[in-house]
């Protein structure tokens, strides 16, 4: 461990002196190994929000512990309780657009899982993997390929993220099992007491159904540990799909902006009847353009980009006003039937076209378009470009992601609200819609800014918060919230005088009486922090 | 309310005198209405296990409250706390084979939902219903038909059961959404404090995604209220499927008993790749025979029926040694492709045959075979016959339902164990296997007996308990447990010195400090009951 006494401005957690903190970190280092605890600037550089105005961050960690075993995690949690130091678990250390890999409370100890990145088992016959919390999408893909398994994993756009951390945050991948975010089966959890719990069928010793059946006997606690601070997940079952005979990536382009709600109605019907059985991604012109170009290539005015420029981008880049990336999987004759059916349905909408090509398994790893590789489980970093839209290398974004019903009426109303709010606030309307299932979708609004422009940064955060509060009053809830307005987003869930918050706080205080696990996660604070005046937002 | 002073042998809950009980019931009657509380024998006749030896039951209720509103339920719960009277919620009042509609604790007040049986909403566009906890499968089917909706509900074999109560008990229906028991979306729950909680997106006022998106922001508590005694569910979202173009019920017959594991391997493959996307029912000869005939028609010996007689039944009734009921749903050309594929795959197994016919929506309501109607959501009572196998009108059964991996190896090993245990105990091996998903299945062992033969009843319960304990040591957990051995079944979930039980007890004591909601459900008892020596089993 770096000698913490040489640090002059180390952030300390609320209620702890520098000496308390030193003792806590020393005790943890003594328990799990000096080499697994670091407090130097280089080690901590990864655990801050890269999209904040430089120097403005207050939620800096005091150190990072990198356990390599479940016993290490248990030791960290027990000592964190003893020393009252908050810990903030992080899988692979990203979460960009939602506050980054930073803790909510200044001075927290990061618990980084980069050294717990083993794929513990892959079962080809039953189609599952059991993974540690530091396994990245790349790691999982590599393990499947290394074993020569006839399986594919549903993954996200950017391969460096963590399988467990993304799952725990209700993150959305694209293949069939990802609908309703239902790919996981069974957790192992270190409770705030340090005790080990296995959920579902894992609650029975030697039960082979742990990664096969999501429940056991009695109430199931699995979902209680997602977007949660009730425990730290140390193992997870993840279902893998047998490779289909045919994978057919598809692209829908729509040139008339006003027809987008009609696409939603068609899509709902095709998802409800099972023709489309995966998660499409429906993005507007600026969302695609932000992956390929910079804003300054098109426009240097302030305020939201005029519609005429968006039209020009749509044409010049050949994008259209909306683009939907989606796919079919299955036996060739079924894929052919479904393709003909969906093409006819979508192309009955004025200005919509659908194209795509069929591929057998040999072609998937090397498809030229990374968006087409993603939908069959081949990860890359090629889609990590959006942040540069405003500000290039200094660009950033905050995301606002409410859930809406999958009807043309609901999507039209939501778009009118969100786009007019963006226009009023002077921000481009960059939207990507991800169906959660056939019935509901998250509308991810990305608000881009130059992180080195303090006024723009402040305006972006203020705009995002205004959207959260305005949308909340109308019954739109966020599926995932940015650290900077997690409390505000949770505040919108106000049924019966915030019954859910009171319920969560009751569980929190029971399981974690010192409130040391991820205080503030999803707006849940233990009594100790509430008494100390949190949340501060 | 019937005057309780006229009852001479009314069961009283532990720790309460007859006078305490009278006061509690009077207070509840005063709060919700005299006509909604009953204590007479006729009213209570439905709330006992019909398959116990007459007169042997100890777990008799003291009364039944039949709320008609959520406010009634809240009043009952608040007064039950005040008076320390345990309450046992029951949807439609069945649960046969798992202990019936009886409470676990003698003297409990039944909370019957027969008067809360409204289908509150059916949304055809988005495919869901919101139902009260007393809605039966018949009620839901009738409401869909009355509204002329192009929707079908996944239902169970016997139509008199409750949609909510079956869902809460991890009950298994048959259509595509039923896989993983995933048809529900969003609960309204009366907590033990009397407070109202809505789970998932329902935690936000006016959020239309309550029946559309299973989660909200932060941890999801929905599954915590299933097979649980942490609250009483008063509303539930239930997904409905658009009617497919074609429904094709299918039957597989297998004449060589030893080939059954091969059917499991074929089925897993066809479910994993999506060819079969629903819940088949795989039953042995005696399971089918028990629906159609009585044991005495074939054999009057004691002990398990000899294999030669089973073979004769298989042939005489034209059943085969195993029969699988399953179905395809979808566009005709896809159904045709999938039928040809699965027929070829299954018929590669010696002695297996697959047959079936396609039907359009006009035919479904009047298909002659009730088993074929069930799989497309048309309920009946025609399949309620199995209980008469041993003892005719006096017949009963206890069910033992462990979960096993969907592999030939695992199913073969489990069958060898369970069938030899049945043979050794002198009971017929009556088995129905229900896949939970493509990866795991519940093997429902029905142990039949004559309820009027005290020796046989005792032997059946002893045999079932022996199976639970023996199977538990080998890692087989029950998906659903009989009241009479719920504690034993829960006891098998022993990972980390019963970490799950301790977790459940912690949550129970926090949410329900007086332990009044369904004490003993899934082996979960509040501290008050544990101190009083429960469980007694």
């Amino acid at each position: 461990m770096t000698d913490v006494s040489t640090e002059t401005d180390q952030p300390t957690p609320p209620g702890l002196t520098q000496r308390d903190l030193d003792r806590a970190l020393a005790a943890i280092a003594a328990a799990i190994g000096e080499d697994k605890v670091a407090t130097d600037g280089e080690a901590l550089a990864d655990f801050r929000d890269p999209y904040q105005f430089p120097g403005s961050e207050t939620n800096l960690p005091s150190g990072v512990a990198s356990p390599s075993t479940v016993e290490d995690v248990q030791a960290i949690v027990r000592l964190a309780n003893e020393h009252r130091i908050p810990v903030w678990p992080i899988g692979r250390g990203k979460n960009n657009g939602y506050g980054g890999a930073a803790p909510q409370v200044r001075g927290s100890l990061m618990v980084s899982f980069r050294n717990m990145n083993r794929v513990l088992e892959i079962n080809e016959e039953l189609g599952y993997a059991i993974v540690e919390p530091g396994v990245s999408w790349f790691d999982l893909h590599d393990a499947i390929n290394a074993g020569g398994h006839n399986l594919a994993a549903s993954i996200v756009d950017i391969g460096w993220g963590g399988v467990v951390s993304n799952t725990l945050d209700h993150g959305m991948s694209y293949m069939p099992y990802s609908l309703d975010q239902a790919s996981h089966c069974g957790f192992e959890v270190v409770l705030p007491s340090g005790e080990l719990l296995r959920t579902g069928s894992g609650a029975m010793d030697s039960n082979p159904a742990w990664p096969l059946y999501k429940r056991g006997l009695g109430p199931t606690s699995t979902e209680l540990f997602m977007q949660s601070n009730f425990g730290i997940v140390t193992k997870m079952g993840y279902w893998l799909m047998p490779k289909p005979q045919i994978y057919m990536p598809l692209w829908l382009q729509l040139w008339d902006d006003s027809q987008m709600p009609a696409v939603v109605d068609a899509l709902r019907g095709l998802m409800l009847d099972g023709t489309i059985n995966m998660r499409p991604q429906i993005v507007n012109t600026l969302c695609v353009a932000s992956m390929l170009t910079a804003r300054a290539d098109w426009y240097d005015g302030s305020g939201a980009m005029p519609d005429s420029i968006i039209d020009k981008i749509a044409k010049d880049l050949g994008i259209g006003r909306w683009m939907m990336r989606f796919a079919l999987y299955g036996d060739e004759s079924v894929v052919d039937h479904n393709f003909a059916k969906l093409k006819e349905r979508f192309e009955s909408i004025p200005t919509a076209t659908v194209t795509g090509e069929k591929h057998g398994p040999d072609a998937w790893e090397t498809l030229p378009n990374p968006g087409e590789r993603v939908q069959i489980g081949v990860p890359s970093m090629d889609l990590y470009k959006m942040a540069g839209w405003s500000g290039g290398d200094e660009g950033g974004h905050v995301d606002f992601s409410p859930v809406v019903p999958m009807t043309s009426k609901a999507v039209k109303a939501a778009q009118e609200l969100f786009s007019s709010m963006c226009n009023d606030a002077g921000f481009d309307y960059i939207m990507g819609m991800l169906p959660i299932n056939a019935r509901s979708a998250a509308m991810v609004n990305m608000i881009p800014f130059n992180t080195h422009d303090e006024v723009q940064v402040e305006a972006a955060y203020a705009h995002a918060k205004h959207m959260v509060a305005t949308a909340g009053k109308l019954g739109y809830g966020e599926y995932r919230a940015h650290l900077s307005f997690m409390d505000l987003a949770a505040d919108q869930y106000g049924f019966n005088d915030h019954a859910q918050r009171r319920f969560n706080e009751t569980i929190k205080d029971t399981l974690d009486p010192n409130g040391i696990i991820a205080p503030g996660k999803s707006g849940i604070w233990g009594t100790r922090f509430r008494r100390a005046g949190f949340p501060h937002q």
Side-chain angles (χ1 to χ4, degrees), chain A residues 103-172:
Chain A
Q104 185 67 303
V105 169
R106 181 179 176 82
S108 293
L109 175 67
M110 305 303 298
V111 178
S112 165
F113 286 110
R114 289 197 189 175
N115 294 335
M116 287 177 72
N117 61 350
R118 289 178 302 163
V119 177
L120 298 170
E121 183 188 354
I122 295 180
N123 185 313
E124 182 167 327
E125 187 177 36
L126 288 161
Y128 69 83
I130 297 182
V131 296
E132 289 190 324
V135 168
S136 72
W137 302 107
F138 286 118
D139 295 334
L140 180 57
H141 174 256
D142 290 351
I144 294 170
N145 278 4
H149 298 295
N150 182 40
L151 296 167
S154 186
I155 64 169
V156 302
D157 286 299
I158 304 171
W160 67 9
V163 180
V164 172
S165 49
N166 185 77
T167 301
L168 292 181
D169 249 337
H170 301 170
M172 294 196 264

Side-chain angles (χ1 to χ4, degrees), chain A residues 16 119 346 519:
Chain A
L16 268 68
V119 177
F346 283 125

Side-chain angles (χ1 to χ4, degrees), chain A residues 369-382:
Chain A
N369 187 321
E372 298 192 347
R373 294 200 299 276
V374 160
Q375 294 179 121
I376 194 65
V378 182
S380 75
M381 288 303 297
D382 296 348

Side-chain angles (χ1 to χ4, degrees), chain A residues 427-471:
Chain A
F427 286 96
D428 297 337
Y429 177 57
I430 304 187
M431 210 276 279
M433 180 168 148
L434 297 174
I436 288 165
N437 50 41
R439 294 168 171 81
S440 59
M443 294 177 73
V444 184
N445 295 270
M446 283 155 283
I447 303 160
F449 53 86
N450 181 333
T451 59
H452 286 227
D453 179 339
E454 190 166 12
V455 173
Q456 207 178 78
V457 174
E458 280 186 15
Y461 280 83
H463 170 48
K465 288 179 191 177
H466 183 50
M467 288 181 90
V468 171
T470 305

Side-chain angles (χ1 to χ4, degrees), chain A residues 332-412:
Chain A
E332 186 159 14
S333 67
V334 176
V335 167
D336 287 343
H337 170 85
N338 286 337
F339 177 65
K341 176 178 175 179
L342 68 85
K343 187 176 172 68
E344 185 183 354
R345 180 70 187 86
F346 283 125
E347 292 190 349
S348 72
I349 299 165
T351 77
T353 59
V354 176
T355 53
E357 267 180 50
K358 296 182 282 185
H359 304 282
D362 288 348
W364 301 344
E365 293 279 330
T366 53
L367 288 170
N369 187 321
E372 298 192 347
R373 294 200 299 276
V374 160
Q375 294 179 121
I376 194 65
V378 182
S380 75
M381 288 303 297
D382 296 348
L383 297 169
Y384 182 59
K385 283 178 186 152
M386 181 269 154
W389 181 244
S390 296
D393 290 346
E394 293 164 3
H397 59 103
V398 286
D399 295 354
F400 161 66
S401 309
V403 175
V404 300
M406 277 274 281
T407 64
S408 56
K409 192 178 163 192
V411 168
K412 185 166 184 283

Side-chain angles (χ1 to χ4, degrees), chain A residues 42-376:
Chain A
E42 196 182 322
L44 297 186
D46 284 345
F47 304 109
R48 49 205 299 172
D49 183 356
Y51 300 158
Q52 292 207 11
F53 183 68
S56 75
E57 310 106 296
T58 56
N59 58 335
L60 297 169
S62 59
V64 52
S66 303
S68 56
T69 65
V70 174
E71 292 73 22
D72 282 353
V73 179
Q74 293 177 288
I76 292 166
V77 166
R78 286 185 176 126
L79 289 164
N81 264 297
E82 194 178 307
H83 292 271
R84 302 289 193 276
I85 179 173
V87 298
W88 191 268
I90 201 92
R92 296 291 303 176
K94 301 304 169 193
N95 198 34
N96 287 339
Y98 292 102
Q104 185 67 303
V105 169
R106 181 179 176 82
S108 293
L109 175 67
M110 305 303 298
V111 178
S112 165
F113 286 110
R114 289 197 189 175
N115 294 335
M116 287 177 72
N117 61 350
R118 289 178 302 163
V119 177
L120 298 170
E121 183 188 354
I122 295 180
N123 185 313
E124 182 167 327
E125 187 177 36
L126 288 161
Y128 69 83
I130 297 182
V131 296
E132 289 190 324
V135 168
S136 72
W137 302 107
F138 286 118
D139 295 334
L140 180 57
H141 174 256
D142 290 351
I144 294 170
N145 278 4
H149 298 295
N150 182 40
L151 296 167
S154 186
I155 64 169
V156 302
D157 286 299
I158 304 171
W160 67 9
V163 180
V164 172
S165 49
N166 185 77
T167 301
L168 292 181
D169 249 337
H170 301 170
M172 294 196 264
S173 58
Y174 298 101
M175 285 170 60
Y177 297 169
S178 74
L179 290 175
D180 282 312
Q181 287 94 299
S183 303
H184 60 284
C185 185
F187 291 166
E188 178 183 86
V189 182
V190 173
L191 293 174
S193 63
E195 274 209 299
L196 208 58
L197 178 78
R198 286 185 178 170
T199 71
S201 298
M204 175 178 282
D205 286 304
S206 320
N207 189 325
W210 186 25
L212 308 177
Y213 175 39
K214 289 171 187 257
R215 300 182 176 111
L217 187 71
T220 308
S221 56
T222 304
E223 306 276 313
L224 211 59
F225 296 104
M226 299 176 73
Q227 285 197 350
S228 155
N229 53 16
F230 299 156
I232 299 178
V233 174
T234 49
K235 287 188 184 72
M236 183 181 84
Y238 194 71
W239 286 350
L240 305 172
M241 191 175 93
K243 289 182 180 169
Q245 185 185 18
I246 292 293
Y247 161 55
M248 185 179 198
L250 298 167
W251 299 90
L252 176 145
Q253 284 181 284
L254 183 75
W255 295 87
D256 178 351
D257 187 40
S258 73
Q259 292 293 330
M260 186 272 198
V263 172
V264 171
D265 272 342
L267 178 61
R268 184 192 65 250
L270 292 163
M271 289 182 76
L272 276 173
D273 76 8
T275 305
I276 297 174
N277 178 32
M278 49 78 69
R279 173 169 290 129
Q281 191 185 69
I282 311 165
V283 293
N284 67 8
T285 310
L286 293 188
C287 192
V288 182
S290 73
M291 305 275 184
L292 306 168
T293 62
R295 185 177 201 269
D297 300 340
W298 304 98
Y299 186 64
D300 59 6
S302 62
M305 191 177 271
D307 203 65
S308 57
I309 306 283
I310 298 174
D311 242 8
K312 179 177 160 53
I313 298 175
K315 284 174 190 134
D316 284 7
L317 292 179
I319 298 169
R321 288 302 295 254
W322 290 91
M323 189 171 250
M324 179 164 79
R325 184 187 79 186
F326 62 126
L328 292 168
Y329 309 83
D331 293 347
E332 186 159 14
S333 67
V334 176
V335 167
D336 287 343
H337 170 85
N338 286 337
F339 177 65
K341 176 178 175 179
L342 68 85
K343 187 176 172 68
E344 185 183 354
R345 180 70 187 86
F346 283 125
E347 292 190 349
S348 72
I349 299 165
T351 77
T353 59
V354 176
T355 53
E357 267 180 50
K358 296 182 282 185
H359 304 282
D362 288 348
W364 301 344
E365 293 279 330
T366 53
L367 288 170
N369 187 321
E372 298 192 347
R373 294 200 299 276
V374 160
Q375 294 179 121
I376 194 65

